[in-house]
Amino acid sequence: MDQSSANATHALDKATSSRIHKDISNIASLALFLAGLGYFILTLAIPLLSYQWHLSQGMEGLLGSAAMFGAIFGGVAAGYLTDKLGRRVMLISSIVGVFIFSVFSSFTWDIESLVAARFLIGVCLSSCYPVAASYLAETMAVKHRGRKFCQAMLVNCIGCVAGGIA
């Protein structure tokens, strides 16, 4: 590590929190809230959808796992896209994408369109965790980093609970 990198690292480790740090922490927490909400929200709705659309067990399984399959495909591309487009663009894109495909999923007309919407939500959610975590790791002072990670993970769990309530 050269001297200028060492000085920058030392300055970051000793820095105090500013408004931008709070904004980054809040945005990262929002991304993780959406991830928790996005992955869990359908869990309790599957029995209702199964009753309404007369789904087979295989289709219930596909519906329940569509977001995870999307996350696998999105995860493969997310690292490359983050390197090319930047973390800020990817984090904003993933949040906007989750919102758009969540709205789309509320207007689906059959099970296939809902599975497609859930798959696309998973693609968008796949970059939330790593990008939010890297933002927190690179911008927070050492003395605040652990607390901010825990806060973000707590908000992720709150997102799961909010999905159950919704």
Side-chain angles (χ1 to χ4, degrees), residues 36-52 55 60 63-65 114 118 157-166:
L37 179 76
Y39 285 131
F40 189 75
I41 195 165
L42 198 66
T43 304
L44 300 175
I46 288 177
L48 301 171
L49 292 169
S50 182
Y51 176 77
Q52 179 181 353
L55 301 179
E60 286 179 11
L63 179 59
S65 61
L114 181 57
R118 294 292 302 161
C157 295
I158 291 169
C160 291
V161 172
I165 291 170

Side-chain angles (χ1 to χ4, degrees), residues 8-9 12-13 21 24 87 130-141 145 149:
T9 301
L12 177 62
D13 290 345
H21 291 102
I24 289 170
R87 287 187 305 269
V131 173
S134 67
Y135 254 129
L136 290 173
E138 292 180 3
T139 59
M140 296 297 148
R145 196 173 296 156
F149 271 120

Side-chain angles (χ1 to χ4, degrees), residues 55-93:
L55 301 179
S56 67
Q57 287 182 342
M59 193 55 80
E60 286 179 11
L62 181 61
L63 179 59
S65 61
M68 291 300 168
F69 284 126
I72 291 168
F73 285 99
V76 170
Y80 174 79
L81 289 173
T82 302
D83 287 344
K84 292 295 180 190
L85 302 174
R87 287 187 305 269
R88 180 176 181 218
V89 169
M90 284 301 293
L91 191 59
I92 291 169
S93 298

